[in-house]
Short mmCIF file of all heavy atoms in Angstrom, two decimals:
data_model
loop_
_atom_site.label_atom_id
_atom_site.label_comp_id
_atom_site.label_asym_id
_atom_site.label_seq_id
_atom_site.Cartn_x
_atom_site.Cartn_y
_atom_site.Cartn_z
N GLY A 1345 -19.96 -62.69 -41.53
CA GLY A 1345 -19.72 -63.95 -40.83
C GLY A 1345 -20.18 -63.95 -39.39
O GLY A 1345 -19.57 -64.59 -38.54
N VAL A 1346 -21.27 -63.20 -39.12
CA VAL A 1346 -21.84 -63.17 -37.77
C VAL A 1346 -23.31 -63.54 -37.85
O VAL A 1346 -23.97 -63.31 -38.88
CB VAL A 1346 -21.68 -61.78 -37.11
CG1 VAL A 1346 -20.21 -61.42 -36.97
CG2 VAL A 1346 -22.42 -60.71 -37.89
N PRO A 1347 -23.88 -64.11 -36.80
CA PRO A 1347 -25.33 -64.40 -36.79
C PRO A 1347 -26.14 -63.13 -36.93
O PRO A 1347 -25.72 -62.05 -36.47
CB PRO A 1347 -25.55 -65.06 -35.43
CG PRO A 1347 -24.19 -65.54 -35.00
CD PRO A 1347 -23.21 -64.57 -35.58
N ALA A 1348 -27.30 -63.22 -37.57
CA ALA A 1348 -28.13 -62.04 -37.80
C ALA A 1348 -28.52 -61.37 -36.48
O ALA A 1348 -28.56 -60.13 -36.38
CB ALA A 1348 -29.37 -62.42 -38.60
N GLU A 1349 -28.79 -62.19 -35.44
CA GLU A 1349 -29.16 -61.62 -34.14
C GLU A 1349 -28.02 -60.78 -33.57
O GLU A 1349 -28.22 -59.69 -33.03
CB GLU A 1349 -29.53 -62.73 -33.16
CG GLU A 1349 -30.76 -63.53 -33.53
CD GLU A 1349 -30.48 -64.58 -34.59
OE1 GLU A 1349 -29.28 -64.74 -34.95
OE2 GLU A 1349 -31.42 -65.23 -35.08
N GLU A 1350 -26.80 -61.31 -33.71
CA GLU A 1350 -25.63 -60.56 -33.24
C GLU A 1350 -25.41 -59.32 -34.10
O GLU A 1350 -24.98 -58.27 -33.60
CB GLU A 1350 -24.40 -61.46 -33.29
CG GLU A 1350 -23.12 -60.82 -32.77
CD GLU A 1350 -21.94 -61.76 -32.84
OE1 GLU A 1350 -22.14 -62.97 -32.64
OE2 GLU A 1350 -20.82 -61.27 -33.10
N GLY A 1351 -25.73 -59.44 -35.40
CA GLY A 1351 -25.57 -58.31 -36.31
C GLY A 1351 -26.47 -57.14 -35.91
O GLY A 1351 -26.05 -55.97 -35.97
N ILE A 1352 -27.70 -57.45 -35.49
CA ILE A 1352 -28.63 -56.38 -35.08
C ILE A 1352 -28.05 -55.61 -33.90
O ILE A 1352 -28.02 -54.37 -33.88
CB ILE A 1352 -29.99 -57.00 -34.69
CG1 ILE A 1352 -30.67 -57.61 -35.92
CG2 ILE A 1352 -30.89 -55.95 -34.06
CD1 ILE A 1352 -31.95 -58.36 -35.59
N GLU A 1353 -27.58 -56.36 -32.91
CA GLU A 1353 -27.01 -55.73 -31.72
C GLU A 1353 -25.77 -54.92 -32.07
O GLU A 1353 -25.58 -53.79 -31.58
CB GLU A 1353 -26.68 -56.80 -30.69
CG GLU A 1353 -26.15 -56.25 -29.37
CD GLU A 1353 -25.89 -57.34 -28.36
OE1 GLU A 1353 -26.36 -58.47 -28.57
OE2 GLU A 1353 -25.20 -57.07 -27.36
N SER A 1354 -24.92 -55.47 -32.95
CA SER A 1354 -23.68 -54.78 -33.32
C SER A 1354 -23.97 -53.49 -34.07
O SER A 1354 -23.34 -52.45 -33.81
CB SER A 1354 -22.81 -55.70 -34.20
OG SER A 1354 -22.41 -56.85 -33.49
N VAL A 1355 -24.92 -53.55 -35.01
CA VAL A 1355 -25.25 -52.35 -35.78
C VAL A 1355 -25.83 -51.26 -34.88
O VAL A 1355 -25.48 -50.08 -35.00
CB VAL A 1355 -26.25 -52.71 -36.91
CG1 VAL A 1355 -26.84 -51.44 -37.53
CG2 VAL A 1355 -25.56 -53.52 -37.99
N THR A 1356 -26.70 -51.64 -33.97
CA THR A 1356 -27.31 -50.66 -33.05
C THR A 1356 -26.24 -49.97 -32.21
O THR A 1356 -26.23 -48.74 -32.07
CB THR A 1356 -28.32 -51.36 -32.13
OG1 THR A 1356 -29.32 -52.00 -32.92
CG2 THR A 1356 -28.98 -50.36 -31.19
N THR A 1357 -25.33 -50.76 -31.67
CA THR A 1357 -24.25 -50.20 -30.84
C THR A 1357 -23.33 -49.32 -31.68
O THR A 1357 -22.91 -48.24 -31.24
CB THR A 1357 -23.44 -51.33 -30.20
OG1 THR A 1357 -24.30 -52.18 -29.44
CG2 THR A 1357 -22.35 -50.78 -29.30
N ALA A 1358 -22.99 -49.78 -32.91
CA ALA A 1358 -22.08 -49.03 -33.76
C ALA A 1358 -22.68 -47.70 -34.19
O ALA A 1358 -21.99 -46.67 -34.21
CB ALA A 1358 -21.72 -49.87 -34.99
N LEU A 1359 -23.98 -47.69 -34.51
CA LEU A 1359 -24.63 -46.44 -34.91
C LEU A 1359 -24.65 -45.45 -33.75
O LEU A 1359 -24.44 -44.24 -33.95
CB LEU A 1359 -26.04 -46.73 -35.40
CG LEU A 1359 -26.15 -47.44 -36.77
CD1 LEU A 1359 -27.60 -47.76 -37.09
CD2 LEU A 1359 -25.55 -46.57 -37.87
N SER A 1360 -24.91 -45.95 -32.56
CA SER A 1360 -24.90 -45.07 -31.39
C SER A 1360 -23.52 -44.47 -31.18
O SER A 1360 -23.37 -43.29 -30.84
CB SER A 1360 -25.33 -45.85 -30.14
OG SER A 1360 -26.64 -46.33 -30.28
N SER A 1361 -22.49 -45.29 -31.40
CA SER A 1361 -21.12 -44.82 -31.25
C SER A 1361 -20.80 -43.74 -32.29
O SER A 1361 -20.17 -42.72 -31.97
CB SER A 1361 -20.15 -46.00 -31.41
OG SER A 1361 -18.81 -45.56 -31.36
N LEU A 1362 -21.26 -43.93 -33.53
CA LEU A 1362 -21.03 -42.93 -34.57
C LEU A 1362 -21.75 -41.62 -34.25
O LEU A 1362 -21.20 -40.53 -34.42
CB LEU A 1362 -21.50 -43.46 -35.93
CG LEU A 1362 -20.60 -44.47 -36.65
CD1 LEU A 1362 -21.26 -44.93 -37.95
CD2 LEU A 1362 -19.23 -43.86 -36.95
N GLU A 1363 -22.99 -41.74 -33.79
CA GLU A 1363 -23.75 -40.54 -33.45
C GLU A 1363 -23.06 -39.75 -32.34
O GLU A 1363 -22.98 -38.51 -32.38
CB GLU A 1363 -25.16 -40.93 -33.02
CG GLU A 1363 -26.04 -41.40 -34.17
CD GLU A 1363 -27.42 -41.81 -33.71
OE1 GLU A 1363 -27.51 -42.59 -32.74
OE2 GLU A 1363 -28.40 -41.34 -34.32
N ALA A 1364 -22.54 -40.47 -31.34
CA ALA A 1364 -21.87 -39.80 -30.23
C ALA A 1364 -20.54 -39.18 -30.68
O ALA A 1364 -20.20 -38.07 -30.27
CB ALA A 1364 -21.62 -40.81 -29.10
N SER A 1365 -19.81 -39.91 -31.55
CA SER A 1365 -18.52 -39.42 -31.99
C SER A 1365 -18.65 -38.21 -32.91
O SER A 1365 -17.88 -37.25 -32.81
CB SER A 1365 -17.77 -40.54 -32.72
OG SER A 1365 -16.54 -40.08 -33.22
N LEU A 1366 -19.63 -38.25 -33.82
CA LEU A 1366 -19.79 -37.17 -34.81
C LEU A 1366 -20.77 -36.10 -34.35
O LEU A 1366 -20.88 -35.05 -34.99
CB LEU A 1366 -20.27 -37.77 -36.13
CG LEU A 1366 -19.30 -38.76 -36.80
CD1 LEU A 1366 -19.95 -39.44 -38.00
CD2 LEU A 1366 -18.02 -38.05 -37.24
N ARG A 1367 -21.52 -36.40 -33.27
CA ARG A 1367 -22.50 -35.45 -32.74
C ARG A 1367 -23.52 -35.08 -33.80
O ARG A 1367 -23.89 -33.91 -33.96
CB ARG A 1367 -21.81 -34.21 -32.19
CG ARG A 1367 -20.86 -34.50 -31.03
CD ARG A 1367 -20.21 -33.25 -30.49
NE ARG A 1367 -19.30 -33.56 -29.39
CZ ARG A 1367 -18.57 -32.66 -28.75
NH1 ARG A 1367 -18.66 -31.37 -29.09
NH2 ARG A 1367 -17.78 -33.02 -27.77
N GLN A 1368 -23.97 -36.08 -34.51
CA GLN A 1368 -24.97 -35.89 -35.56
C GLN A 1368 -25.95 -37.05 -35.53
O GLN A 1368 -25.63 -38.14 -35.03
CB GLN A 1368 -24.32 -35.80 -36.94
CG GLN A 1368 -23.49 -34.54 -37.16
CD GLN A 1368 -22.82 -34.52 -38.52
OE1 GLN A 1368 -22.41 -35.56 -39.03
NE2 GLN A 1368 -22.70 -33.34 -39.11
N GLY A 1369 -27.14 -36.82 -36.09
CA GLY A 1369 -28.14 -37.86 -36.17
C GLY A 1369 -27.83 -38.85 -37.27
O GLY A 1369 -27.00 -38.59 -38.16
N ILE A 1370 -28.54 -39.96 -37.26
CA ILE A 1370 -28.26 -41.03 -38.21
C ILE A 1370 -28.55 -40.62 -39.65
O ILE A 1370 -27.88 -41.05 -40.59
CB ILE A 1370 -29.06 -42.31 -37.83
CG1 ILE A 1370 -28.60 -43.49 -38.70
CG2 ILE A 1370 -30.55 -42.08 -37.95
CD1 ILE A 1370 -27.16 -43.83 -38.55
N ASP A 1371 -29.56 -39.75 -39.86
CA ASP A 1371 -29.88 -39.31 -41.22
C ASP A 1371 -28.72 -38.54 -41.84
O ASP A 1371 -28.37 -38.74 -43.01
CB ASP A 1371 -31.15 -38.44 -41.22
CG ASP A 1371 -32.39 -39.23 -40.88
OD1 ASP A 1371 -32.34 -40.48 -41.01
OD2 ASP A 1371 -33.40 -38.62 -40.48
N VAL A 1372 -28.11 -37.66 -41.06
CA VAL A 1372 -26.98 -36.88 -41.55
C VAL A 1372 -25.78 -37.79 -41.82
O VAL A 1372 -25.08 -37.66 -42.83
CB VAL A 1372 -26.60 -35.77 -40.55
CG1 VAL A 1372 -25.36 -35.01 -41.03
CG2 VAL A 1372 -27.76 -34.82 -40.34
#
């Protein structure tokens, strides 16, 4: 229920947060 443009920004930020929290790359 979010605009696609907002979704892109949200996914990018969320993935960066996961990488920082887990200290792993996106592939892992």
